[in-house]
Amino acid sequence: MSSSLEERLQAVEDHLAIMNLLAAYGPAADAADSEAIAELWHPEGSYTVDAVTMVGDEVPALVEWDAHRDYLAAGCAHVLSTPRVTLQGDRAHAVNHSIVLRHDGNEWAAVRVSANRWELERVAGSWKVRHRTARLLNGSGEARDLLRGIDLEP
Amino acid sequence: MSSSLEERLQAVEDHLAIMNLLAAYGPAADAADSEAIAELWHPEGSYTVDAVTMVGDEVPALVEWDAHRDYLAAGCAHVLSTPRVTLQGDRAHAVNHSIVLRHDGNEWAAVRVSANRWELERVAGSWKVRHRTARLLNGSGEARDLLRGIDLEP
Amino acid sequence: MSSSLEERLQAVEDHLAIMNLLAAYGPAADAADSEAIAELWHPEGSYTVDAVTMVGDEVPALVEWDAHRDYLAAGCAHVLSTPRVTLQGDRAHAVNHSIVLRHDGNEWAAVRVSANRWELERVAGSWKVRHRTARLLNGSGEARDLLRGIDLEP
């Protein structure tokens, strides 16, 4: 590899910073911590889940949705799997799974299981989410396309 | 960033060492491998789960609990999500989710889903768990406080 | 530590490359992307799941199995937990959990939960899977032996 040690170290730091960024989403969602969610996203970033796209301030406001309040009242965990990270300079993308577990009596049920693609951008030295797409793994072809990286770049 | 390459590399190694440390817990718990659990904790470390705090030798002895034996006889998986890691020199903390899946007929049920906070310390060059707190995500405010980092430091 | 900065950096890169390699399996399986699975394995690599061992081209062909087609039609997620990675030069092994979640009405059921051990090898600069063993965590001693690292090396 012809990269300098410094360049290689930077790539490793970027990879871990992105893992930490994504690992912060679940705890923030489960605590309804809209400020923590706002910290993760680019100010003009967006999040498409099912048929809805949230932009900018709408992203952290998702903790106020009725469905989200219902999850929190019951007890919930937004669990994300280890992302596959691809770096491209000041841009990156990552693919992983997300699971929403909802407390129900003595057990937790997996009420949402989604394929996720994250478009990331380094802004003033910090990685931020530019766009997240989550699609339910319910047998639809759209979620499989996302996992193959089809039909996502505008 | 003004840190030296060596300092930056050390931070990256610390982050990965902590990920590996936490990734060793689930397999050790599922194998009832008390020696492997003892290796992860500081000799004076502790683990608070629900209303119980185990200290020192009591931590690896958790594999002898009736509930743990019952999980193992049925078949179980202690699955931990990727931690969000925050380094502070020879100390660090990490936040993640843990899920206990218990075999039941042809499927596995999520019988425990918890928010976790890990206080870590470097001892003689190796990262060890100083304290782990796990709180069930069952709708209680305590688990949400843990995820926000409230009310944990003594 | 007496290793050079370059050696230490290489180890960190190896660790992250292996995490990325394993993180690519779930999305490839859920998309029935046999080419992506083939990319992960060594050409002569193998995969033992339950009582079956697939070798070489048989590994990516697993997406054609009836059970796999059934999962995909219903909607499924192959979720892998963060691996505990142990490096040994151009060889490595990793241990983690895998969960297959299958869509069923409004929820997803965990229909397979396994202990996994991955034997990895660096080939022409890229990490590849030499052998994966997955054993159901259904109370059998074999899965616990795998997690303890017993009875695996030939």
Side-chain angles (χ1 to χ4, degrees), chain A residues 47-54 65 112 114 133-136 138:
Chain A
Y47 178 12
T48 300
V49 54
D50 303 340
V52 178
T53 296
M54 296 157 268
W65 288 20
R112 293 185 60 87
S114 304
T133 306
R135 293 181 184 165
L136 286 178
N138 58 6

Side-chain angles (χ1 to χ4, degrees), chain C residues 82-142:
Chain C
T82 312
R84 173 167 59 82
V85 176
T86 307
L87 301 172
Q88 298 161 303
D90 291 330
R91 297 272 180 155
H93 68 264
V95 172
N96 69 351
H97 292 100
S98 60
I99 306 170
V100 181
L101 292 159
R102 186 182 186 284
H103 191 227
D104 179 21
N106 289 318
E107 298 182 354
W108 281 257
V111 292
R112 293 185 60 86
V113 177
S114 304
N116 285 261
R117 186 177 167 101
W118 307 73
E119 305 291 336
L120 304 144
E121 185 177 344
R122 191 203 319 266
V123 182
S126 294
W127 286 95
K128 299 288 180 183
V129 181
R130 206 51 223 222
H131 187 62
R132 174 185 179 185
T133 306
R135 293 182 184 164
L136 287 177
L137 285 158
N138 58 7
S140 78
E142 287 79 5

Side-chain angles (χ1 to χ4, degrees), chain C residues 1 3 11 17 22 26 35-36 38 42-43 62 67 70 75 83 89 94 96 100 110 115-116 130 132-133 136 146:
Chain C
M1 194 178 294
S3 307
L22 271 55
E35 290 180 32
H42 186 284
L62 67 83
D70 166 67
N96 69 351
V100 181
N116 285 261
R130 206 51 223 222
R132 174 185 179 185
T133 306
L136 287 177
L146 180 150

Side-chain angles (χ1 to χ4, degrees), chain C:
Chain C
M1 194 178 294
S2 60
S3 307
S4 72
L5 283 185
E6 205 284 337
E7 285 168 336
R8 290 168 60 187
L9 182 56
Q10 183 67 51
V12 161
E13 290 175 330
D14 289 346
H15 192 140
L16 285 171
I18 289 167
M19 291 183 100
N20 245 12
L21 185 77
L22 271 55
Y25 178 79
D30 295 338
D33 189 342
S34 57
E35 290 180 32
I37 294 175
E39 271 292 303
L40 306 179
W41 255 261
H42 186 284
E44 295 166 21
S46 51
Y47 177 12
T48 299
V49 53
D50 303 342
V52 178
T53 295
M54 297 157 268
V55 181
D57 292 346
E58 294 168 355
V59 177
L62 67 83
V63 300
E64 304 297 339
W65 288 21
D66 285 347
H68 200 86
R69 287 175 181 273
D70 166 67
Y71 288 153
L72 259 85
C76 72
H78 289 71
V79 181
L80 276 67
S81 69
T82 312
R84 173 167 59 82
V85 176
T86 307
L87 301 172
Q88 298 161 303
D90 291 330
R91 297 272 180 155
H93 68 264
V95 172
N96 69 351
H97 292 100
S98 60
I99 306 170
V100 181
L101 292 159
R102 186 182 186 284
H103 191 227
D104 179 21
N106 289 318
E107 298 182 354
W108 281 257
V111 292
R112 293 185 60 86
V113 177
S114 304
N116 285 261
R117 186 177 167 101
W118 307 73
E119 305 291 336
L120 304 144
E121 185 177 344
R122 191 203 319 266
V123 182
S126 294
W127 286 95
K128 299 288 180 183
V129 181
R130 206 51 223 222
H131 187 62
R132 174 185 179 185
T133 306
R135 293 182 184 164
L136 287 177
L137 285 158
N138 58 7
S140 78
E142 287 79 5
R144 291 199 296 274
D145 286 349
L146 180 150
L147 293 172
R148 284 171 176 265
I150 293 171
D151 188 26
L152 279 157
E153 304 296 334

Side-chain angles (χ1 to χ4, degrees), chain B residues 6 13 20 30-31 78 82 108, chain C residues 8 82 85 97 110 137 139 148:
Chain B
E6 205 283 337
E13 290 175 329
N20 245 13
D30 295 338
H78 289 71
T82 312
W108 281 256
Chain C
R8 290 168 60 187
T82 312
V85 176
H97 292 100
L137 285 158
R148 284 171 176 265

Side-chain angles (χ1 to χ4, degrees), chain B residues 73-94:
Chain B
C76 72
H78 289 71
V79 181
L80 275 68
S81 69
T82 312
R84 174 167 60 81
V85 176
T86 306
L87 301 171
Q88 298 162 304
D90 291 330
R91 297 272 181 154
H93 68 265

